[in-house]
Amino acid sequence: MADVYNGVLKCPTGIEGLDEITGGGLPRGRPSLVCGGPGCGKTLLAMEFLIHGALRFDEPGVFVSFEESAEELATNVASLGFDVPALIKAQKLAVKKIHLDRNDIEVAGEYDLEGLFIQLGSAVEALSAKRIVLDTIEALFGGFPNDAILRSELQRLFRWLKDRGLTAVITGERGEKTLTRHGLEEYVADCVMVLDHRLADQIATRRMRILKYRGSLHGADEYPFLIDEQGFSVLPITSLMLQHTASTERVSSGIAPLDTMLDGGFYRGSSVLISGTAGTGKTSVVASFARQSCRQGERVLFLAFEESEAQIARNMHSIGIELQPWIDQQLLKIIPARATACGLELHLTRIHKAIREFQPRAVIVDPISNMIAVGSRLEVKAMLTRLMDLLKNRQITAVYTSLTHAGSSLEETELHISSLADSWLLLRNIESSGERNRLLYVLKSRGTAHSNQLREFLITGHGIDLREVYLGAGEVLTGASRQAQEAAEEAAALQRAEQIQAQERELERRREAVEARIMALRAEAAVDSAETETRIAQERRREAKLLADQRERALLRRADAARTGIKGEQP
């Protein structure tokens, strides 16, 4: 199994991170030199190179030791979970100790490595080995009288390895002013790795650097690496670039009013900074976020630099935020550690390892400001920048808390990383009417139409609540001042209501009076109308009576004229 990079065949080491910074692994069929001081991890890296080759890539290997026996090596790596005897029994790995003193390689004043080559060749042929380790080269060439002979024999050894197509890892002790004790090995090897175990301010840090790699591009920076119960791992953090995707999915903060302020919550994969002085409730906010994420079935990694797991669970229980059930369901993993327990790079490596193993969708770091005790502000900012890039690259939503100090600028963090955060929430205490109350507001939220209001922030027995704040005399009112303002407003509202009710009653009285007058006028009009109609009827009857009388008189007159023969009046 081999990859080609710029024409160079690669042999993967199987070590997390190392294959990435080497562009696919070590040069296949060529020797690589691993140098460093005592305790830096040279032998372990070389052993893992062989073990991963045997288990993962079906490439048997030979470990040649010039100092330790096979039993000692097996015991040393057993604590890391590697079963060397089982691999030896399965003929996947061979461990051979070779002890050569000067008399064994000196013949008639000349030096001859044929005896060594015979032993190496026998071990390689027995397994059809593809990989080999020589640990350490100083033990082999320590007796050489001058550099010319040493260089010649080194070239001869490396040529012997190349001719057989063996991918070799050769370890070497670091010299006082050179990479190796003799200062020649690095010139002969095709790839040179330098391991460093340094101590600064009583804090130990392990770092690796690829000093040389013929024919291939490679990471040239220093990379932190970790040796723990699972072996050797490297974090190539500086290789990450601003090429992560930007999700439009929203993630709830666990506080409904805050989600409203943020137009729906945080973006998936964004970096959220929560800053404030001591006691403002930063941990309570991130605990609400953790609980909500767990409710949605997402894993949350909680990195605590001030409190233990039990203390966090207890404290959050007191305000109605239950975390222990999610811990028991393995959806929430709290990793407590003092910031001063190790160096910045080791912290970053451990975080990377925890993320790789737990596979969270959200990460909480509480608080990042404690890191200032481990390194300078510039170093801490660089470390956090790489952490943010790592999480963004994996689309992991990250929430960081930062402690600010009373009297300092509220809109400034001690580590000056606010510009790196996508969303920034500020919590603060205010003093008024003889009490302290909390406020929360959103300083920024990239890509989100967010609220510009200050909200009163309450920590209650059932979690966190944000209340609409009252404004009076140009300032935000909270606590007792707010209660007084509410009481005053309620009294004023009651007075206004009473005034309105009095006005409504007066209006109703007037309406009723008008209606009464209208009814009286209508009654009077009805009486007048009836009397008028009666008079009209009487007049009509009187007129009709007169007409009837006239007709009757006319008839009577015509009758009298007919009887007497006298011509009377015409009717």
Side-chain angles (χ1 to χ4, degrees), residues 61-124:
V62 176
F63 191 102
V64 179
S65 173
F66 300 109
E67 295 178 330
E68 296 180 280
S69 66
E71 292 77 13
E72 291 172 335
L73 287 169
T75 301
N76 293 342
V77 300
S79 61
L80 305 178
F82 301 132
D83 191 350
V84 171
L87 291 174
I88 294 175
K89 185 177 180 180
Q91 295 187 340
K92 295 286 187 179
L93 178 67
V95 179
K96 187 175 182 62
K97 181 180 181 181
I98 298 178
H99 176 71
L100 294 176
D101 59 28
R102 183 170 180 176
N103 294 328
D104 294 328
I105 58 176
E106 184 177 1
V107 180
E110 296 183 357
Y111 294 87
D112 189 357
L113 295 178
E114 287 301 326
L116 173 63
F117 295 155
I118 291 173
Q119 295 187 61
L120 295 180
S122 176
V124 169

Side-chain angles (χ1 to χ4, degrees), residues 509-531:
R509 186 189 64 77
R510 292 180 179 181
R511 184 182 294 113
E512 291 176 352
V514 170
E515 290 180 354
R517 292 179 60 187
I518 292 173
M519 293 297 293
L521 291 172
R522 286 178 178 175
E524 183 179 351
V527 171
D528 292 343
S529 177
E531 292 178 351

Side-chain angles (χ1 to χ4, degrees), residues 250-266 292 448-449 466:
R250 294 286 186 168
V251 178
S252 174
S253 66
I255 305 171
L258 179 56
D259 290 343
T260 302
M261 293 178 69
L262 293 167
D263 197 28
F266 309 125
Q292 181 63 26
T448 300
L466 299 181

Side-chain angles (χ1 to χ4, degrees), residues 183-195:
L184 298 174
E185 296 90 328
E186 57 264 35
Y187 296 102
V188 182
D190 288 77
C191 176
V192 178
M193 290 180 287
V194 181
L195 306 185

